[in-house]
Amino acid sequence: MSEWQGARTDPRDRLIVALDVPALDEAEALADRLRGVVGWFKIGSQLFTTAGPRAIAAIAQRGRVFLDMKFHDIPTTVGAAVGAAARHGIALCTVHASGGTEMMRAAREAAHRAFRDTGVGPARIIGVTLLTSIDERTLREIGAAGTPTDVALRLAHLARAAGLDGVVVSPLEVEPVRAACGPEFLLVCPGIRPAGGAPDDQRRVRTASAAVRAGADLLVVGRPITHAPDPRRAAEEILREIEGPPAHPRAPT
Ligand code: C5P
């Protein structure tokens, strides 16, 4: 079982809020509003392109940092980028599993090297299987064979064989990927929506409780929290879903 599963895990350590905002001061204000209820923050391409490593330094003071740059390039370039990122003191970093085994190995080795050289980290490297916004129609459009589940499973196997720490999967693929890759493989799940909530541009979505029951370790939630009238309250509702019902509900009297 991974360190984030089991009844004793604090649900705050399983919730990652995606800081997809256009400016660092906005990201800091959001992280401050969520302080104490969220253990992780995700810096994606929008915030990193705007504010760069300053964003990592600022957000690391408020929680663990997941740098979601989804690197996808030749192995040397990805290795160099992951090495640079790992030296900034991030906890988690993404590369596209479709970049292939050699590229993923270069990423993993660069993260280990950064840890050996600096003592910072080690950053865990996870592979993006299939974006949660991709449906069957888009798969056909890009010429990929099989269903989204087939593709996600194939890429999860590849990521595991390349020695990555885990993968990003949609809530719909968590169960088969968990069954195929074992209890220690880190499964990070975006595409989380409250029951009846707007999917936005996401296509393969589920609720937080469904994702956790299926075997997700960490949940990535953006707009359902960041666009909520009260982000802190929205985060607390998701924490309750992660926690699930009490183990021994009181008998009705
Ligand atoms: O706002 P929402 O909850 O849809 O945000 C989901 C976040 O997770 C976004 O920052 C997106 O980049 C990220 N993500 C994703 N699907 C993946 C990997 C990351 O939606 N496969």
Side-chain angles (χ1 to χ4, degrees), residues 68-130:
D68 185 24
M69 294 302 287
K70 301 186 181 68
F71 292 122
H72 191 171
D73 209 315
I74 60 170
T76 306
T77 302
V78 167
V82 167
R87 284 172 167 74
H88 292 305
I90 54 171
L92 207 58
C93 181
T94 42
V95 300
H96 268 287
S98 54
T101 305
E102 205 190 320
M103 192 207 81
M104 287 190 274
R105 284 203 183 124
R108 188 201 60 188
E109 278 156 24
H112 288 178
R113 214 172 310 118
F115 180 52
R116 272 199 313 273
D117 293 349
T118 64
V120 176
R124 291 176 201 233
I125 309 299
I126 56 173
V128 176
T129 54
L130 190 66

Side-chain angles (χ1 to χ4, degrees), residues 18 20 42 68 70 128 130-132 168 190-193 201-202 220-224:
D20 294 327
K42 184 171 89 72
D68 185 24
K70 301 186 181 68
V128 176
L130 190 66
L131 295 172
T132 37
V168 183
I192 303 299
R193 289 294 179 272
D201 55 347
Q202 300 282 19
V220 178
V221 186
R223 288 161 289 185

Side-chain angles (χ1 to χ4, degrees), residues 49-210:
T49 306
T50 305
R54 274 190 313 126
I56 300 177
I59 299 303
Q61 293 171 20
R62 293 155 166 101
R64 282 185 263 202
V65 173
F66 169 15
L67 183 66
D68 185 24
M69 294 302 287
K70 301 186 181 68
F71 292 122
H72 191 171
D73 209 315
I74 60 170
T76 306
T77 302
V78 167
V82 167
R87 284 172 167 74
H88 292 305
I90 54 171
L92 207 58
C93 181
T94 42
V95 300
H96 268 287
S98 54
T101 305
E102 205 190 320
M103 192 207 81
M104 287 190 274
R105 284 203 183 124
R108 188 201 60 188
E109 278 156 24
H112 288 178
R113 214 172 310 118
F115 180 52
R116 272 199 313 273
D117 293 349
T118 64
V120 176
R124 291 176 201 233
I125 309 299
I126 56 173
V128 176
T129 54
L130 190 66
L131 295 172
T132 37
S133 55
I134 290 184
D135 56 13
E136 296 256 7
R137 194 180 57 82
T138 311
L139 267 187
R140 297 292 84 80
E141 192 179 89
I142 61 173
T147 64
T149 304
D150 296 332
V151 176
L153 265 171
R154 198 161 64 232
L155 291 169
H157 274 297
L158 203 63
R160 190 162 179 268
L164 294 199
D165 297 293
V167 284
V168 183
V169 280
S170 102
L172 274 71
E173 283 100 45
V174 170
E175 206 169 331
V177 171
R178 172 65 71 208
C181 295
E184 302 293 334
F185 201 52
L186 185 60
L187 300 189
V188 177
C189 219
I192 303 299
R193 289 294 179 272
D200 305 306
D201 55 347
Q202 300 282 19
R203 292 293 168 265
R204 302 191 333 280
V205 300
R206 282 273 166 86
T207 62
S209 59

Side-chain angles (χ1 to χ4, degrees), residues 11 14 208-209 212-213 237-247:
R14 299 177 71 179
S209 59
V212 165
R213 270 186 275 116
E237 272 163 29
I238 290 179
L239 289 183
R240 275 192 289 278
E241 280 199 59
I242 294 175
E243 213 160 16

